[in-house]
Amino acid sequence: MSTIPRHRVSVIGGGGNVGAATAFALIAKGVPAEVLIVDVVDKAAEGQALDISDSAFMMPGTCRKGSFKEAGQSDVIIVTAGARQHPGEPRSNLIDRNYKIIKSIMDSLQPIKPSAKILMVSNPVDVLTDIAQKTSGLPRRQVIGSGTYLDTGRLRSTLSDITQVSPTSIHAYMLGEHGDNQFTSWSSARIGGRPLLEHPKMQGVDLDGIYSNIQQKAYVIIDAKGSTYYGIGICAATLAEALLNNTSQVFPVTNYVETYECYMSWPAAIGSDGVEQSFDVKLSGEESKKLDKALAAIKSFSSNY
């Protein structure tokens, strides 16, 4: 076994579906890190860690059960723990139930490694990321959330089916709030350096229909199987990888945007220090109104904690 020091990534709530999917994705992606599964349900953490460790024998990463104190000394701390979203329940209704959980987690992690980065996945992620930053004591740039990364992936996959262009070559975002007030920034969307809406195969496409399908997909999955976890698991693992490897890639994550004075889902470059820079997205008048609505919703809850 190599003695070269490796990164440590801890998954809080790793005994659950989202946490386990995230931990497995880290191993499957070949991230050379020690992945710790941490959960208040010790038996669940043990079982998931043992199961995931069986997938690591051909990979550079390892997986084991860990403690909250160990997690506090990790390079990246991914928080997936929280009350489960009920079918048809708006994410905002989860806030009161999840506030106490997040505060308890941050207290249990203390003292937190000063250079650690916290990645929030629990919903509603924009508000809970704000709460995590306040209760962890870490700088804002080091506390981010998964934001609208998964929603943006759904958008790009849909657009890929229409245009027959790879999703990675389509630059379009779902922005604002990961939840009921997210919106599509159609006016800034690009493909091959040209406005997306000028693409021949986008002519006559029902844009509202695309938005509606993306907006409702999570609820459809929750209604069918109880929760979503594979998509968000790979998103969280990718963000952790960017933080560890200092990739400076741009993702639509929950980050504190000084211009709007709040945490929100907005494009930002991610690296080893957390958020390296946030970008100014040009919006149409109608999109600006939707952004204002999203900001008002986020601030109305964040101000209570």
Side-chain angles (χ1 to χ4, degrees):
M1 178 67 69
S2 173
T3 58
I4 298 175
R6 293 180 299 180
H7 297 297
R8 173 183 288 175
V9 180
S10 289
V11 183
I12 311 298
N17 290 334
V18 174
T22 298
F24 175 72
L26 285 164
I27 296 298
K29 282 173 65 64
V31 178
E34 179 185 41
V35 179
L36 301 189
I37 302 292
V38 182
D39 203 290
V40 293
V41 182
D42 189 72
K43 191 173 183 179
E46 179 73 16
Q48 296 286 23
L50 288 172
D51 193 10
I52 294 170
S53 68
D54 280 345
S55 69
F57 71 96
M58 291 190 298
M59 299 297 178
T62 62
C63 183
R64 67 175 176 86
K65 184 183 74 172
S67 68
F68 281 92
K69 291 299 182 183
E70 287 179 303
Q73 298 306 303
S74 300
D75 298 291
V76 177
I77 303 167
I78 304 174
V79 180
T80 67
R84 177 176 290 190
Q85 186 177 13
H86 300 310
E89 179 187 21
R91 290 182 175 89
S92 57
N93 287 2
L94 293 172
I95 298 174
D96 286 333
R97 293 195 287 142
N98 277 331
Y99 169 74
K100 291 181 180 179
I101 295 174
I102 299 306
K103 186 178 186 305
S104 175
I105 288 171
M106 295 305 152
D107 289 344
S108 299
L109 292 174
Q110 300 294 340
I112 299 175
K113 184 178 179 179
S115 61
K117 269 69 66 179
I118 294 176
L119 170 59
M120 294 297 299
V121 178
S122 310
N123 281 314
V125 68
D126 300 290
V127 175
L128 294 186
T129 302
D130 180 79
I131 291 172
Q133 189 276 319
K134 291 173 180 174
T135 54
S136 69
L138 291 179
R140 286 169 174 161
R141 67 182 301 177
Q142 291 175 221
V143 183
I144 66 173
S146 51
T148 50
Y149 183 22
L150 176 56
D151 307 289
T152 293
R154 290 169 176 160
L155 171 65
R156 294 183 182 185
S157 292
T158 300
L159 295 173
S160 174
D161 290 340
I162 296 171
T163 63
Q164 296 301 294
V165 173
S166 169
T168 59
S169 295
I170 298 174
H171 301 282
Y173 295 104
M174 299 293 288
L175 297 173
E177 175 204 29
H178 173 58
D180 298 333
N181 293 299
Q182 64 187 1
F183 66 94
T184 311
S185 58
W186 294 115
S187 63
S188 64
R190 294 290 184 271
I191 183 170
R194 295 180 60 82
L196 170 71
L197 298 184
E198 291 182 2
H199 191 283
K201 293 185 178 180
M202 289 299 296
Q203 305 311 303
V205 170
D206 181 5
L207 301 183
D208 290 337
I210 291 176
Y211 170 82
S212 179
N213 288 338
I214 293 169
Q215 182 80 340
Q216 293 300 314
K217 188 172 184 179
Y219 295 115
V220 172
I221 296 172
I222 291 169
D223 182 62
K225 56 181 282 187
S227 62
T228 66
Y229 38 90
Y230 292 123
I232 190 59
I234 196 71
C235 286
T238 301
L239 292 173
E241 189 175 29
L243 290 167
L244 293 173
N245 294 337
N246 195 32
T247 65
S248 299
Q249 290 173 271
V250 176
F251 300 96
V253 294
T254 302
N255 65 107
Y256 190 87
V257 182
E258 294 289 347
T259 303
Y260 301 107
E261 300 182 323
C262 78
Y263 271 97
M264 56 190 290
S265 294
W266 206 246
I270 304 300
S272 59
D273 291 329
V275 174
E276 296 179 342
Q277 55 181 310
S278 188
F279 296 89
D280 182 26
V281 180
K282 292 184 179 181
L283 304 174
S284 67
E286 186 62 30
E287 291 165 356
S288 293
K289 292 178 182 178
K290 292 178 180 178
L291 174 60
D292 290 340
K293 183 179 179 181
L295 293 175
I298 295 170
K299 291 180 179 181
S300 69
F301 292 109
S302 296
S303 61
N304 294 328
Y305 301 96

